[in-house]
Amino acid sequence: MNNLLSAPARPEASVPEPARRRSRTEVVVTVIVVLAVLAAIVAGLSTHRFATIANAKAIITSASLVGIAALGLTLITIGGSAVSLAISPSVAAVGMIFLSAQSLGLVPALVLALACGILITGLQGAVVGYAAANPVLLTIATSFAIAGLATGISGGETVSPTGTGYDRLNATPGGVALSVYALVVLALILEWTLRRTAFGRTLYLIGENRRAAWAAGLPVGRTTAVAWFAAGALFAVTAAFTAAFNTSANVNLGGTLTFDAIAAVLAGGTPISGGRGSALRTLAGAVLIAAVSDILLLRGYSTGVQIMVKGLIVLLVVILVHLRAKGRNA
Amino acid sequence: MRSRSLRRPETLVPLSSVAIMVVAFALIPAYTDSAIAPFDVYNTFQIFARLGLLALALGLTMIAGEFDLSVVGTYALGGMLAVQTGQEHWVYGLLAALAAGAVIGLVQGGVIAGLKLPSMPVTLATYITLLGLTSALSGGLTKTYSNASVTLWVDQTVLTFFSPRSLLTLGLFLLAAVVLSFTRWGRELRAIGGDRRASQVAGVRVDRLIVGTFMLSGMLSALGGSLLSFSLGSANPDPGVQPLIVAAAAALLGGLSLAGGRGNALGLLGGIMAVALLAEIVTVAALPGYVTQLFFAGLLGVIVVIDAPDLHRALVRQRTRLRPEGNPTSMLSRKRELS
């Protein structure tokens, strides 16, 4: 009977903070955010060749590839499934499929890539949605499995395109890469879906409190699975653009995309526990991460330092978002 | 008193997985051309030594109801520091690695306990940071360790089956088993994993315990990384996700639960031995690398799905053919399983 009486653990709701301290927390959070933004601006302006149009284009182009994948991850995170750690291998596998299907023409290859992306990520989502499997561990396992399968099938070789249709994805209408337009359009569609449709509202509720959503009779499993389906489609779009940009694909096509997408989602202020966040925040987060990476690159820092700074930004934002949410809830 | 019952998952799961793997290991001559040599047993313990401390580090945080994703980052950093600062004498390298592990654990534990943050996002951020830091320290390159006498010493054969490295790892497991079973610290660790609020009310100093556990986890991972670097004679800045996959699979096979509060060091030892035996079988059978990869991914995937809470509920629902909203008993049975 002990189990009936014990309340579910909610450490963040345990001790209400006194009003004076809450306001101090809010002030500290705001000051830190303002200082960080100022520091970033100063660092940017004092970096040679940072404030140029060519560099701005480079930033939004690099933000666009990470951003589309991060939009997919946003759906997963809002729905309370934390993160997928299998983004890089999924993108690599789909990119390889996309390039090897080029002989069919651009549109069939895109459709095939989307179908494979939805299948790969959607299967994981179905397991997470219906069985409530731990998404982090599950996606660690699937990342390994996808990489293994891709290596096995491709024999570890680099896939070259079998046609030239993919090159249309590298078009730059109006001097800006096509992927940037895709990012903006997809972000707007996603934002509208999250705010205005029953699916979006359900997803927020599931992320906020899975058991309450289940008790309210909401389709928890199906909604979670659909969110992962959509994420898989967005990963496939990223894969098509990345593969087209590189004109070849191997198992390392994804690079550090998993961490970049997580960094973009969390830097946008979406809490990893779910129930909050938006597509536009992720868009901002992706641009922020791309700008910081760009500054570090222009200043000649190594890849290691770039990854480290991304990790520190994520840590800082996770703490700040948590402190602010706690300040508001109290 | 049920506590010694064999039917409890923390005893049953590791026992059965070790038993299955020992049988599979003994049957090696049946499906390969090679007979079992003492070297195979030695090698199994070497694989155990390679991953044991990482699994122990992860397992301790899992018992406390947390999940330390950063163990692989600390593992990589520890290995790199041991090589880079230990070129003159291995003691300096080991001390640097242990100190780094302790500091990382202190910071993480302090943030998680002090701000009441969930451990997953914090340790994920630390993992990314540490991979970057390790890569920055080494310039992204594998560093070699020039002190060959240390490399020979840690892997020399002792008592046919062991090496100083595997004996040290085994010793730490036994120490952890004694501490977890017979000291107040061990009981409190399971208590905060089972029901944190109740244990706080009962007078457990939860925050201090969490910080301590994360420091221990950091030091064990760093030690594991250093020993691996000494043994290989080199340090790799990016060990990939395989160590984490294998350590997580070992911890879950060891009878630990993602929900926390369950498990002991001997069960964990069983889990990691089962995984080490599997790895040795895969090596002896000379499967290609990607098949091994699929094997371990499949293993962890299956365990995670079996551990998934709603799966039991769905199965019960299927069996009783009740509608979800009218089925409070399955929720209760699930809670009882967890406790």
Side-chain angles (χ1 to χ4, degrees):
Chain A
M1 285 317 280
N2 179 28
N3 289 320
L4 269 182
L5 298 174
S6 66
R10 286 277 317 261
E12 72 275 16
S14 54
V15 189
E17 301 268 323
R20 201 162 55 84
R21 208 162 133 219
R22 174 183 62 196
S23 62
R24 199 192 289 160
T25 314
E26 292 241 23
V27 169
V28 169
V29 169
T30 317
V31 167
I32 293 176
V33 168
V34 169
L35 281 181
V37 169
L38 277 181
I41 292 175
V42 169
L45 290 181
S46 64
T47 302
H48 182 53
R49 283 188 303 158
F50 177 78
T52 58
I53 293 187
N55 192 45
K57 275 184 194 166
I59 290 175
I60 53 170
T61 307
S62 85
S64 66
L65 294 177
V66 173
I68 296 172
L71 287 178
L73 187 61
T74 309
L75 284 171
I76 292 176
T77 308
I78 288 177
S81 322
V83 291
S84 163
L85 291 181
I87 302 176
S88 293
S90 313
V91 163
V94 174
M96 289 157 88
I97 294 167
F98 174 70
L99 285 188
S100 55
Q102 282 304 313
S103 53
L104 307 173
L106 176 62
V107 175
L110 262 180
V111 171
L112 185 67
L114 281 175
C116 291
I118 290 172
L119 187 71
I120 293 172
T121 308
L123 272 180
Q124 303 168 48
V127 175
V128 171
Y130 288 104
N134 182 297
V136 175
L137 281 182
L138 183 76
T139 53
I140 290 178
T142 49
S143 80
F144 214 46
I146 296 166
L149 271 181
T151 313
I153 293 170
S154 69
E157 304 280 315
T158 298
V159 175
S160 298
T162 53
T164 54
Y166 72 89
D167 210 35
R168 268 180 277 165
L169 292 184
N170 289 332
T172 51
V176 177
L178 192 61
S179 53
V180 176
Y181 295 100
L183 172 67
V184 174
V185 170
L186 288 170
L188 290 175
I189 293 175
L190 207 61
E191 184 73 14
W192 182 83
T193 312
L194 283 171
R195 285 173 178 276
R196 299 282 170 191
T197 63
F199 162 75
R201 303 319 303 173
T202 313
L203 193 64
Y204 276 108
L205 186 55
I206 292 170
E208 183 81 43
N209 191 335
R210 188 184 160 97
R211 270 169 87 170
W214 184 77
L218 292 171
V220 173
R222 195 178 69 217
T223 309
T224 309
V226 169
W228 284 68
F229 278 12
L234 287 163
F235 297 160
V237 174
T238 312
F241 277 116
T242 312
F245 184 75
N246 288 326
T247 68
S248 67
N250 61 17
V251 278
N252 298 320
L253 181 73
T256 58
L257 188 67
T258 303
F259 294 148
D260 293 345
I262 292 172
V265 170
L266 296 183
T270 298
I272 204 164
S273 48
R276 296 211 186 99
S278 77
L280 296 182
R281 275 170 170 268
T282 298
L283 191 64
V287 173
L288 173 75
I289 293 289
V292 171
S293 294
D294 183 78
I295 292 174
L296 293 172
L297 193 66
L298 285 177
R299 288 183 162 241
Y301 287 105
S302 66
T303 321
V305 176
Q306 292 178 41
I307 297 176
M308 188 174 86
V309 171
K310 271 175 216 164
L312 289 175
I313 292 178
V314 171
L315 186 60
L316 185 71
V317 173
V318 163
I319 293 174
L320 290 180
V321 166
H322 177 77
L323 282 179
R324 211 181 55 171
K326 212 164 87 173
R328 276 192 193 153
N329 283 345
Chain B
M1 202 169 128
R2 263 183 75 218
S3 68
R4 297 284 162 220
S5 163
L6 276 178
R7 296 180 59 185
R8 295 185 65 165
E10 58 262 54
T11 318
L12 183 67
V13 177
L15 262 186
S16 44
S17 43
V18 169
I20 292 170
M21 287 307 160
V22 167
V23 170
F25 186 75
L27 288 178
I28 282 181
Y31 48 82
T32 61
D33 300 333
S34 50
I36 301 174
F39 176 75
D40 290 325
V41 181
Y42 167 84
N43 213 24
T44 308
F45 280 109
Q46 286 300 95
I47 299 171
F48 160 75
R50 185 177 189 144
L51 295 157
L53 293 179
L54 198 64
L56 184 59
L58 186 67
L60 286 179
T61 59
M62 277 173 74
I63 293 175
E66 306 284 340
F67 194 87
D68 190 356
L69 270 175
S70 72
V71 285
V72 186
T74 318
Y75 185 70
L77 181 69
M80 190 55 75
L81 280 176
V83 163
Q84 293 200 326
T85 58
Q87 295 286 9
E88 280 179 32
H89 198 288
W90 60 272
V91 171
Y92 300 137
L94 206 58
L95 285 180
L98 284 176
V103 170
I104 292 163
L106 182 68
V107 172
Q108 294 198 102
V111 167
I112 290 166
L115 301 174
K116 306 257 180 293
L117 266 163
S119 54
M120 229 280 299
V122 175
T123 54
L124 179 68
T126 323
Y127 172 47
I128 301 175
T129 311
L130 291 176
L131 279 188
L133 179 63
T134 311
S135 166
L137 277 179
S138 65
L141 302 171
T142 299
K143 293 284 175 185
T144 50
Y145 187 57
S146 50
N147 197 340
S149 58
V150 175
T151 303
L152 290 175
W153 187 81
V154 291
D155 281 346
Q156 65 183 305
T157 318
V158 180
L159 303 171
T160 318
F161 300 132
F162 302 102
S163 68
R165 194 156 67 101
S166 58
L167 282 178
L168 179 66
T169 312
L170 270 175
L172 283 169
F173 261 95
L174 293 182
L175 184 67
V178 170
V179 169
L180 281 179
S181 308
F182 299 113
T183 64
R184 180 175 158 178
W185 186 78
R187 286 195 300 274
E188 288 185 347
L189 194 68
R190 276 193 296 277
I192 66 168
D195 190 333
R196 185 150 304 172
R197 197 191 251 180
S199 45
Q200 179 136 38
V201 171
V204 177
R205 276 187 274 198
V206 173
D207 292 358
R208 258 180 33 179
L209 205 56
I210 291 180
V211 174
T213 307
F214 271 92
M215 281 178 74
L216 205 56
S217 153
M219 286 164 73
L220 285 170
S221 323
L223 180 63
S226 318
L227 289 178
L228 179 65
S229 289
F230 287 151
S231 151
L232 295 175
S234 66
N236 179 0
D238 183 7
V241 290
Q242 179 158 20
L244 184 62
I245 288 179
V246 179
L252 291 172
L253 278 184
L256 272 64
S257 159
L258 284 170
R262 199 176 82 193
N264 55 55
L266 287 181
L268 195 56
L269 181 64
I272 189 94
M273 279 315 293
V275 170
L277 282 167
L278 178 64
E280 177 60 18
I281 292 166
V282 167
T283 313
V284 173
L287 297 171
Y290 72 90
V291 178
T292 318
Q293 217 169 326
L294 284 177
F295 225 82
F296 280 111
L299 178 68
L300 180 61
V302 167
I303 302 171
V304 169
V305 170
I306 291 175
D307 197 60
D310 278 8
L311 193 68
H312 302 279
R313 207 159 64 186
L315 289 180
V316 170
R317 205 155 65 215
Q318 278 285 314
R319 228 179 290 148
T320 51
R321 294 198 161 273
L322 285 172
R323 294 172 60 78
E325 52 266 35
N327 189 15
T329 43
S330 64
M331 293 278 286
L332 273 184
S333 66
R334 186 191 140 214
K335 284 214 74 172
R336 214 170 287 139
E337 266 163 37
L338 289 176
S339 57

